[in-house]
Amino acid sequence: MPAPDLDRKEETKPAGIPLRIHQIRDGLTTNRLGKHIHYFREVDSTNSHARRLAEQRTPEGEVVIAESQTHGRGRLGRPWVSPPYVNLYLSVILRPTLPPIDAPQITLMAAVALAESLAAFIPVFPAIKWPNDILAGGKKLAGILTESACHGERVDFVILGIGVNINYPVESMPDAIRQRATSMLGLTGASVSRENVVRRLIQGLDRCYGELEEMGFQALAPRWEARFELRGKKVRVEMTDRIIIGTAKGIDRDGALILEDGRGELQRIVAGDVVPVGD
Ligand code: BTN
């Protein structure tokens, strides 16, 4: 008798409950987003897949969702841990009419939509950590990765990628992220319907994107500022070539962080990691 194939048995274990995409589509009442959802059990990265679609002239608003990612990406080239069937990995193709210089406003708009959407599912106020993190109870619940392609003076497309920790048990997270990350399950102690989260998020993004396109970021800025958890706090900003310590004042219209340094001068930070100092 052949020896039992233990590896094979491992592969055929129940994989988890897949997202019911029709439930998401059925409840959607959006203007531009989510009319078509490309759904995968596994992709390299939903952002990479959405980019490939966008390069083939796929229209604005199409959404890519995967149950897991083999090469999920975070900001600054970091990996995004993407276990199957517990979280949300979603990317949207946008073709905004913004000039390239205003493209970072897409991240700010998405942070507002994401924080407001997640607020409906958790008992704490989701805050925004510049530029792209959503924190709940001081820990990271979700992240945003926007990647754009420009053609001369216009934006060809923006891929808006969002990862949300939903039913991911905190105790299963790798050591390196467990200290600073959380999930809806961790916050509520109960499983959350991923379909409801996705539907509310697509609705929220559709509404906020419409406001951005029609009225500009000024229409959303007060809601962003209301969730900006570092305002007035002393922070350290780590950039590729230097570190600045100062007081976080807010953001400018391009989405840059405004910091008042030790000499009272205002510094404009376009990219970097912000860490509160002395809390
Ligand atoms: C960050 O906080 O650094 C951004 C994380 C963004 C992760 C999402 S998951 C869906 C999409 N696909 C990716 O490869 N990354 C984004």
PDB file of all heavy atoms in Angstrom, residues 47 71 77 85 111 129 192 205-206 213 217-218 223 229:
ATOM      1  N   ASN A  47      -3.090  45.213  -7.030  1.00  0.00           N
ATOM      2  CA  ASN A  47      -2.625  46.430  -7.713  1.00  0.00           C
ATOM      3  C   ASN A  47      -1.954  46.090  -9.040  1.00  0.00           C
ATOM      4  O   ASN A  47      -2.176  46.762 -10.043  1.00  0.00           O
ATOM      5  CB  ASN A  47      -1.635  47.205  -6.826  1.00  0.00           C
ATOM      6  CG  ASN A  47      -2.321  48.286  -6.013  1.00  0.00           C
ATOM      7  OD1 ASN A  47      -3.468  48.112  -5.597  1.00  0.00           O
ATOM      8  ND2 ASN A  47      -1.643  49.391  -5.779  1.00  0.00           N
ATOM      9  N   HIS A  71       2.239  38.316  -3.794  1.00  0.00           N
ATOM     10  CA  HIS A  71       3.209  39.416  -3.710  1.00  0.00           C
ATOM     11  C   HIS A  71       2.494  40.715  -3.363  1.00  0.00           C
ATOM     12  O   HIS A  71       2.664  41.730  -4.064  1.00  0.00           O
ATOM     13  CB  HIS A  71       3.993  39.560  -5.016  1.00  0.00           C
ATOM     14  CG  HIS A  71       4.869  38.381  -5.308  1.00  0.00           C
ATOM     15  ND1 HIS A  71       4.406  37.226  -5.911  1.00  0.00           N
ATOM     16  CD2 HIS A  71       6.174  38.158  -5.030  1.00  0.00           C
ATOM     17  CE1 HIS A  71       5.397  36.356  -6.000  1.00  0.00           C
ATOM     18  NE2 HIS A  71       6.478  36.907  -5.484  1.00  0.00           N
ATOM     19  N   GLY A  77       7.773  49.749  -0.868  1.00  0.00           N
ATOM     20  CA  GLY A  77       8.228  48.433  -1.299  1.00  0.00           C
ATOM     21  C   GLY A  77       8.111  47.348  -0.237  1.00  0.00           C
ATOM     22  O   GLY A  77       8.657  46.253  -0.410  1.00  0.00           O
ATOM     23  N   TYR A  85      -8.882  34.381   2.663  1.00  0.00           N
ATOM     24  CA  TYR A  85     -10.262  34.250   3.158  1.00  0.00           C
ATOM     25  C   TYR A  85     -10.585  34.998   4.456  1.00  0.00           C
ATOM     26  O   TYR A  85     -11.637  34.772   5.035  1.00  0.00           O
ATOM     27  CB  TYR A  85     -10.650  32.767   3.314  1.00  0.00           C
ATOM     28  CG  TYR A  85     -10.553  32.029   2.015  1.00  0.00           C
ATOM     29  CD1 TYR A  85      -9.511  31.136   1.788  1.00  0.00           C
ATOM     30  CD2 TYR A  85     -11.467  32.265   0.993  1.00  0.00           C
ATOM     31  CE1 TYR A  85      -9.396  30.478   0.572  1.00  0.00           C
ATOM     32  CE2 TYR A  85     -11.364  31.618  -0.225  1.00  0.00           C
ATOM     33  CZ  TYR A  85     -10.326  30.723  -0.427  1.00  0.00           C
ATOM     34  OH  TYR A  85     -10.218  30.090  -1.625  1.00  0.00           O
ATOM     35  N   ALA A 111      -8.449  57.726   2.061  1.00  0.00           N
ATOM     36  CA  ALA A 111      -8.331  57.596   3.525  1.00  0.00           C
ATOM     37  C   ALA A 111      -9.625  58.038   4.197  1.00  0.00           C
ATOM     38  O   ALA A 111     -10.082  57.397   5.159  1.00  0.00           O
ATOM     39  CB  ALA A 111      -7.150  58.415   4.035  1.00  0.00           C
ATOM     40  N   LYS A 129      -3.448  58.107   9.775  1.00  0.00           N
ATOM     41  CA  LYS A 129      -2.038  58.418  10.019  1.00  0.00           C
ATOM     42  C   LYS A 129      -1.428  58.742   8.668  1.00  0.00           C
ATOM     43  O   LYS A 129      -1.402  57.873   7.787  1.00  0.00           O
ATOM     44  CB  LYS A 129      -1.332  57.220  10.666  1.00  0.00           C
ATOM     45  CG  LYS A 129       0.142  57.437  10.886  1.00  0.00           C
ATOM     46  CD  LYS A 129       0.698  56.346  11.795  1.00  0.00           C
ATOM     47  CE  LYS A 129       2.198  56.431  11.915  1.00  0.00           C
ATOM     48  NZ  LYS A 129       2.897  55.793  10.796  1.00  0.00           N
ATOM     49  N   VAL A 192     -16.809  39.583  11.186  1.00  0.00           N
ATOM     50  CA  VAL A 192     -17.561  40.636  10.496  1.00  0.00           C
ATOM     51  C   VAL A 192     -17.830  40.147   9.071  1.00  0.00           C
ATOM     52  O   VAL A 192     -16.991  39.464   8.485  1.00  0.00           O
ATOM     53  CB  VAL A 192     -16.711  41.928  10.478  1.00  0.00           C
ATOM     54  CG1 VAL A 192     -17.358  43.017   9.643  1.00  0.00           C
ATOM     55  CG2 VAL A 192     -16.449  42.419  11.901  1.00  0.00           C
ATOM     56  N   LEU A 205     -16.160  54.972  -1.366  1.00  0.00           N
ATOM     57  CA  LEU A 205     -15.162  55.444  -2.326  1.00  0.00           C
ATOM     58  C   LEU A 205     -15.832  56.145  -3.507  1.00  0.00           C
ATOM     59  O   LEU A 205     -15.363  57.175  -3.977  1.00  0.00           O
ATOM     60  CB  LEU A 205     -14.327  54.266  -2.859  1.00  0.00           C
ATOM     61  CG  LEU A 205     -13.290  53.669  -1.906  1.00  0.00           C
ATOM     62  CD1 LEU A 205     -12.741  52.370  -2.482  1.00  0.00           C
ATOM     63  CD2 LEU A 205     -12.146  54.661  -1.646  1.00  0.00           C
ATOM     64  N   ASP A 206     -16.930  55.565  -3.965  1.00  0.00           N
ATOM     65  CA  ASP A 206     -17.653  56.149  -5.099  1.00  0.00           C
ATOM     66  C   ASP A 206     -18.115  57.573  -4.753  1.00  0.00           C
ATOM     67  O   ASP A 206     -17.968  58.506  -5.552  1.00  0.00           O
ATOM     68  CB  ASP A 206     -18.847  55.263  -5.433  1.00  0.00           C
ATOM     69  CG  ASP A 206     -19.593  55.712  -6.673  1.00  0.00           C
ATOM     70  OD1 ASP A 206     -19.039  55.526  -7.774  1.00  0.00           O
ATOM     71  OD2 ASP A 206     -20.703  56.256  -6.538  1.00  0.00           O
ATOM     72  N   GLU A 213     -13.754  64.769  -7.593  1.00  0.00           N
ATOM     73  CA  GLU A 213     -13.765  65.151  -9.008  1.00  0.00           C
ATOM     74  C   GLU A 213     -14.595  66.412  -9.243  1.00  0.00           C
ATOM     75  O   GLU A 213     -14.239  67.246 -10.051  1.00  0.00           O
ATOM     76  CB  GLU A 213     -14.331  63.986  -9.841  1.00  0.00           C
ATOM     77  CG  GLU A 213     -13.336  62.881 -10.111  1.00  0.00           C
ATOM     78  CD  GLU A 213     -12.366  63.229 -11.235  1.00  0.00           C
ATOM     79  OE1 GLU A 213     -12.722  63.091 -12.426  1.00  0.00           O
ATOM     80  OE2 GLU A 213     -11.237  63.654 -10.909  1.00  0.00           O
ATOM     81  N   PHE A 217     -10.338  68.692  -3.569  1.00  0.00           N
ATOM     82  CA  PHE A 217     -10.065  68.118  -2.243  1.00  0.00           C
ATOM     83  C   PHE A 217     -10.567  68.990  -1.107  1.00  0.00           C
ATOM     84  O   PHE A 217     -10.836  68.489  -0.008  1.00  0.00           O
ATOM     85  CB  PHE A 217      -8.569  67.806  -2.072  1.00  0.00           C
ATOM     86  CG  PHE A 217      -8.289  67.151  -0.754  1.00  0.00           C
ATOM     87  CD1 PHE A 217      -8.767  65.873  -0.487  1.00  0.00           C
ATOM     88  CD2 PHE A 217      -7.605  67.836   0.240  1.00  0.00           C
ATOM     89  CE1 PHE A 217      -8.566  65.284   0.750  1.00  0.00           C
ATOM     90  CE2 PHE A 217      -7.395  67.238   1.477  1.00  0.00           C
ATOM     91  CZ  PHE A 217      -7.876  65.958   1.733  1.00  0.00           C
ATOM     92  N   GLN A 218     -10.715  70.298  -1.363  1.00  0.00           N
ATOM     93  CA  GLN A 218     -11.197  71.186  -0.281  1.00  0.00           C
ATOM     94  C   GLN A 218     -12.522  70.683   0.303  1.00  0.00           C
ATOM     95  O   GLN A 218     -12.808  70.885   1.475  1.00  0.00           O
ATOM     96  CB  GLN A 218     -11.360  72.623  -0.799  1.00  0.00           C
ATOM     97  CG  GLN A 218     -10.033  73.297  -1.111  1.00  0.00           C
ATOM     98  CD  GLN A 218      -8.958  73.038  -0.045  1.00  0.00           C
ATOM     99  OE1 GLN A 218      -9.185  73.265   1.141  1.00  0.00           O
ATOM    100  NE2 GLN A 218      -7.807  72.524  -0.460  1.00  0.00           N
ATOM    101  N   ARG A 223     -12.995  66.657   6.661  1.00  0.00           N
ATOM    102  CA  ARG A 223     -13.201  65.288   7.159  1.00  0.00           C
ATOM    103  C   ARG A 223     -11.862  64.578   7.330  1.00  0.00           C
ATOM    104  O   ARG A 223     -11.688  63.745   8.215  1.00  0.00           O
ATOM    105  CB  ARG A 223     -14.135  64.524   6.212  1.00  0.00           C
ATOM    106  CG  ARG A 223     -15.594  64.950   6.445  1.00  0.00           C
ATOM    107  CD  ARG A 223     -16.423  64.900   5.197  1.00  0.00           C
ATOM    108  NE  ARG A 223     -16.643  63.564   4.693  1.00  0.00           N
ATOM    109  CZ  ARG A 223     -17.125  63.299   3.470  1.00  0.00           C
ATOM    110  NH1 ARG A 223     -17.424  64.290   2.633  1.00  0.00           N
ATOM    111  NH2 ARG A 223     -17.305  62.063   3.086  1.00  0.00           N
ATOM    112  N   GLU A 229      -4.769  62.088  13.306  1.00  0.00           N
ATOM    113  CA  GLU A 229      -4.503  61.882  14.727  1.00  0.00           C
ATOM    114  C   GLU A 229      -3.213  62.545  15.208  1.00  0.00           C
ATOM    115  O   GLU A 229      -2.995  62.624  16.411  1.00  0.00           O
ATOM    116  CB  GLU A 229      -4.481  60.385  15.045  1.00  0.00           C
ATOM    117  CG  GLU A 229      -3.443  59.622  14.281  1.00  0.00           C
ATOM    118  CD  GLU A 229      -2.624  58.732  15.170  1.00  0.00           C
ATOM    119  OE1 GLU A 229      -3.192  58.195  16.121  1.00  0.00           O
ATOM    120  OE2 GLU A 229      -1.425  58.583  14.910  1.00  0.00           O
TER     121      GLU A 229
END
